[in-house]
């Protein structure tokens, strides 16, 4: 799928460069000399291949490499005194190079926006999650219950587990490869296209129906994206959830008095993550709404590609189910949101001269590790691998920036128990 986002005119810049022909010829000649010392040509000793033979065999490749190198060099020389920062990769619009002529090139690129960051007092709801006896009891009770699915002969209802087969009846026989057999999902869990789920609610086991589905233009399968297909849905099985209370002799290890502290610790850790993610999301949304800025389309496209690759990976992991709701999602808005947030947070980091805090990073690495040995290995990677180092540095700097905003925000505390938090704070 091609992403159609026009370049931001306010951020678009272009530069004309001219590379003299004598510089091009000299650079190509120097490159041939280097090449002659590294290759072996039949009939000639190493370093003794005639220039005309090198030109015949490698001329086009060498010329392309030299022009690319020179364009980059001239471009960087041209902008080195500028104060703007280039966003993404420039587009090089070349005239065809003709021997004995100068080369002209138009270079288009976008720059990062310049703006004054508005971090006036935001009003942020800061949740406080109290772990109650009822929260602990609910988790403990689950330890004494076993979920089992019982097949039923009735009309499908919310939270039933359904097994269906989907057969494509479109005229295009190629679509047959997208047939889906014995796919299981739970009604209400957003696992299948809503138009199918709605139709299922009036049917039961062994019934079937036909439905015309228009697949989203964002579908992972390009062949059916934005197409209408006639699909037969066959209901193979309908099951409802039953909870079986296990006997105590089956659960000697699940005594509440032994488990209480463990359950409480787990819920406290989960609560901390829920609160951190909620506050971060609210602060970023406030930051974006208070700072309307131009965003480079180049960066949006790059973020879109990353999100799209992740979407396709999940799709393939899901047995290439063409009816999954993941294919309906337009990632453009999410990509723009990500890029805008990154630009604003980076501006905040620059304005406050924030630096990575090694203690914070070591704590972060500790959280990411499952054992002491693993922690030592990650710390070693952090010190020696630039990509790993940059990854953890970025997380730490982002958290420092979030903390800076939170410190000067107006905070409204609202209390929840754990199960209320799960219903209201998960974003």
């Amino acid at each position: 799928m091609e992403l159609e986002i026009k370049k931001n005119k306010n951020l678009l810049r272009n530069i004309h460069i001219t590379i003299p022909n004598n510089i091009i010829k000299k650079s190509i000649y120097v490159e041939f000399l280097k090449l002659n010392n590294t290759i072996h040509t039949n009939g000639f000793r190493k370093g003794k291949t005639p220039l005309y033979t090198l030109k015949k065999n490698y001329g086009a490749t060498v010329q392309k490499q030299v022009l690319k190198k020179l364009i980059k060099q001239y471009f960087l020389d041209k902008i080195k005194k500028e104060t703007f920062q280039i966003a993404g990769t420039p587009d090089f619009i070349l005239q065809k190079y003709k021997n004995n002529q100068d080369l002209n090139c138009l270079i288009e690129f976008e720059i990062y926006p310049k703006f004054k960051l508005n971090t006036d007092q935001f009003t942020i709801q800061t949740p406080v999650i109290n772990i109650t006896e009822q929260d602990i009891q609910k988790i403990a009770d689950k330890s004494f219950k076993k979920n089992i699915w019982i097949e039923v002969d009735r009309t499908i209802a919310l939270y039933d587990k359904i097994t269906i087969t989907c057969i494509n009846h479109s005229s295009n026989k190629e679509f047959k490869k997208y047939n889906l057999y014995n796919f299981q999902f739970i009604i209400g869990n957003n696992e299948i296209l809503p138009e199918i789920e709605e139709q299922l609610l009036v049917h039961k086991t062994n019934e079937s129906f036909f439905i015309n589905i228009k697949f989203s233009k964002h579908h992972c399968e390009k062949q059916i994206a934005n197409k209408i297909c006639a699909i037969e849905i066959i209901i193979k099985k309908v099951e409802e959830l039953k909870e079986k209370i296990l006997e105590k002799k089956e659960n000697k290890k699940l005594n509440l008095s032994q488990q209480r502290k463990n359950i409480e610790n787990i819920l406290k850790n989960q609560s901390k993550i829920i609160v951190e993610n909620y506050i971060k999301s609210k602060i970023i949304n406030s930051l974006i709404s208070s700072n309307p800025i131009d965003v480079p389309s180049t960066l949006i496209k790059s973020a879109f590609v990353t999100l799209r690759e992740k979407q396709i990976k999940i799709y393939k992991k899901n047995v290439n189910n063409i009816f999954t709701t993941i294919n309906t999602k337009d990632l453009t808005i999410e990509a723009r949101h990500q890029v805008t947030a990154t630009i604003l947070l980076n501006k905040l980091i620059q304005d406050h001269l924030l630096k990575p805090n090694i203690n914070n990073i070591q704590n972060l690495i500790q959280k990411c590790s499952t054992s002491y040995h693993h922690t030592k290995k990650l710390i070693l990677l952090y010190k020696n691998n630039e990509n790993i180092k940059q990854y953890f540095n970025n997380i730490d700097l982002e958290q420092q920036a979030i903390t800076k905003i939170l410190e000067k925000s107006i905070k409204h505390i609202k209390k929840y128990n754990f199960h209320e938090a799960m219903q209201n704070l998960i974003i």
Side-chain angles (χ1 to χ4, degrees):
M1 171 188 168
E2 293 295 326
L3 177 64
E4 296 180 3
I5 298 180
K6 292 183 178 179
K7 288 186 176 179
N8 191 308
K9 290 183 179 180
N10 293 332
L11 303 178
L12 186 62
R13 302 288 185 273
N14 61 68
I15 287 177
H16 291 271
I17 62 170
T18 299
I19 306 175
N21 179 60
N22 65 314
I23 297 295
I24 296 173
K25 290 176 70 174
K26 181 180 178 181
S27 299
I28 290 175
Y29 178 73
V30 169
E31 201 62 34
F32 275 129
L33 291 180
K34 292 179 183 177
L35 182 65
N36 204 2
N37 292 323
T38 59
I39 64 166
H40 177 79
T41 307
N42 290 337
F44 302 97
R45 287 180 294 159
K46 191 173 182 180
K48 299 297 182 180
T49 304
L51 185 59
Y52 71 86
T53 303
L54 291 173
K55 287 182 177 179
K56 181 181 177 181
N57 294 338
Y58 306 102
T61 301
V62 169
Q63 184 185 97
K64 185 177 180 180
Q65 291 174 346
V66 167
L67 292 179
K68 185 177 180 180
K69 185 177 179 181
L70 286 173
I71 290 169
K72 183 178 179 180
Q73 177 188 322
Y74 270 68
F75 174 63
L76 293 176
D77 287 343
K78 191 95 171 179
I79 66 168
K80 64 184 178 182
K81 293 182 180 179
E82 301 289 348
T83 58
F84 56 69
Q85 184 182 358
I86 295 175
T89 305
D91 289 329
F92 298 95
I93 305 170
L94 291 175
Q95 288 185 354
K96 188 174 181 180
Y97 173 63
K98 297 178 181 179
N99 289 332
N100 301 318
Q101 290 187 15
D102 297 342
L103 176 69
N104 293 306
C105 180
L106 172 67
I107 303 171
E108 284 190 347
F109 56 94
E110 288 179 296
I111 63 172
Y112 279 92
K114 290 185 177 181
F115 58 95
K116 184 177 180 180
L117 190 66
N118 175 18
T119 56
D120 291 340
Q121 283 188 331
F122 300 143
T123 300
I124 304 294
Q125 183 193 111
T126 53
V128 174
I129 303 176
N130 297 313
I131 308 302
T132 66
E133 280 295 331
Q134 289 80 2
D135 291 325
I136 296 172
Q137 190 65 49
K138 283 181 181 180
I139 301 298
D141 286 346
K142 289 182 180 180
S143 300
F144 292 93
K145 293 177 181 178
K146 179 181 180 181
N147 292 335
I148 56 174
W149 291 95
I150 305 296
E151 192 167 352
V152 293
D153 184 20
R154 59 162 171 74
T155 303
I156 294 169
L158 192 63
Y159 305 126
D160 284 345
K161 182 162 74 172
I162 313 301
T163 304
I164 63 172
T165 288
C166 302
I167 306 296
N168 196 302
H169 286 269
S170 301
S171 57
N172 191 333
K173 293 182 179 180
E174 279 292 309
F175 289 177
K176 293 291 182 184
K177 66 183 179 182
Y178 300 119
N179 289 345
L180 188 66
Y181 297 95
N182 297 321
F183 172 62
Q184 288 190 335
F185 61 98
I186 296 174
I187 293 286
N189 279 9
N190 195 32
E191 296 176 70
I192 199 164
L193 295 175
E195 51 264 51
I196 294 179
E197 193 168 79
E198 290 168 10
Q199 291 271 3
L200 284 168
L201 290 173
V202 296
H203 293 281
K204 59 183 182 178
T205 305
N206 294 327
E207 291 185 352
S208 65
F209 60 91
F210 285 84
I211 182 172
N212 287 329
I213 295 177
K214 183 172 182 180
F215 290 102
S216 168
K217 64 180 180 179
H218 310 293
H219 204 287
C220 293
E221 296 284 358
K222 290 183 180 180
Q223 192 175 10
I224 61 174
N226 216 28
K227 298 283 196 316
I228 297 176
C229 299
I231 307 293
E232 181 184 8
I233 311 293
I234 305 165
I235 303 164
K236 296 290 188 176
K237 190 189 296 185
V238 179
E239 299 169 276
E240 68 178 10
L241 184 64
K242 294 288 185 182
E243 289 184 335
K244 178 184 176 184
I245 305 298
L246 302 178
E247 297 179 14
K248 286 186 178 180
K249 64 181 181 180
E250 298 178 60
N251 288 274
K252 290 180 181 179
K253 295 181 180 179
L254 298 179
N255 186 284
L256 180 59
S257 61
Q258 298 172 345
Q259 292 285 316
R260 187 188 183 288
K261 197 63 182 177
N262 289 339
I263 292 171
E264 187 176 13
N265 288 336
I266 291 170
L267 295 185
K268 282 181 178 178
N269 288 333
Q270 290 182 348
S271 297
K272 187 176 180 181
I273 293 170
I274 290 170
V275 170
E276 286 176 353
N277 289 341
Y278 180 84
I279 291 175
K280 176 183 174 181
S281 175
K282 291 300 179 183
I283 285 177
I284 287 175
N285 288 341
S286 297
L287 198 59
I288 290 174
S289 63
S290 300
N291 293 276
I293 61 171
D294 292 312
V295 183
S297 63
T298 309
L299 300 183
I300 297 175
K301 289 180 180 179
S302 178
F304 175 89
V305 169
T306 301
L307 290 169
R308 182 65 172 169
E309 288 172 351
K310 183 179 178 181
Q311 184 186 59
I312 292 172
K313 187 176 180 180
I314 295 172
Y315 167 76
K316 289 182 177 178
K317 189 177 180 180
N318 198 23
V319 202
N320 291 3
N321 174 12
I322 64 169
F323 303 101
T324 181
T325 52
I326 187 175
N327 299 299
T328 64
K329 190 174 184 182
D330 182 1
L331 300 174
T332 311
I333 296 172
E334 189 174 345
R336 180 181 291 277
H337 185 275
Q338 280 189 8
V339 172
T340 306
T342 300
I343 291 173
L344 294 175
L345 288 172
N346 283 342
K347 174 66 172 170
L348 185 66
I349 290 166
Q350 293 168 9
D351 288 351
H352 288 82
L353 303 175
L354 299 179
K355 302 293 181 184
N357 184 307
I358 190 61
N359 291 329
N360 293 344
I361 291 168
Q362 286 181 344
N363 289 335
L364 182 61
I365 291 173
Q366 185 76 43
K367 287 181 182 179
C368 296
S369 306
T370 55
S371 66
Y372 179 70
H373 176 72
H374 193 193
T375 303
K376 289 174 66 176
K377 185 177 179 181
L378 262 179
I379 291 174
L380 189 62
L381 278 172
Y382 172 80
K383 291 178 179 178
N384 298 322
N385 185 303
E386 282 302 316
N387 291 331
I388 298 290
K389 187 173 185 177
Q390 192 62 51
Y391 171 78
F392 282 109
N393 285 353
N394 288 344
I395 294 176
D396 175 55
L397 289 171
E398 182 183 271
Q399 189 53 54
Q400 288 187 53
I402 295 292
T403 302
K404 282 284 182 186
I405 297 175
L406 187 61
E407 285 173 352
K408 62 183 297 187
S409 297
I410 300 171
K411 293 175 275 294
H412 288 170
I413 294 175
K414 187 169 182 179
K415 295 182 179 180
Y416 298 87
N417 64 37
F418 181 78
H419 286 83
E420 287 173 342
M422 289 290 289
Q423 293 173 353
N424 295 287
L425 302 181
I426 303 295
I427 298 177

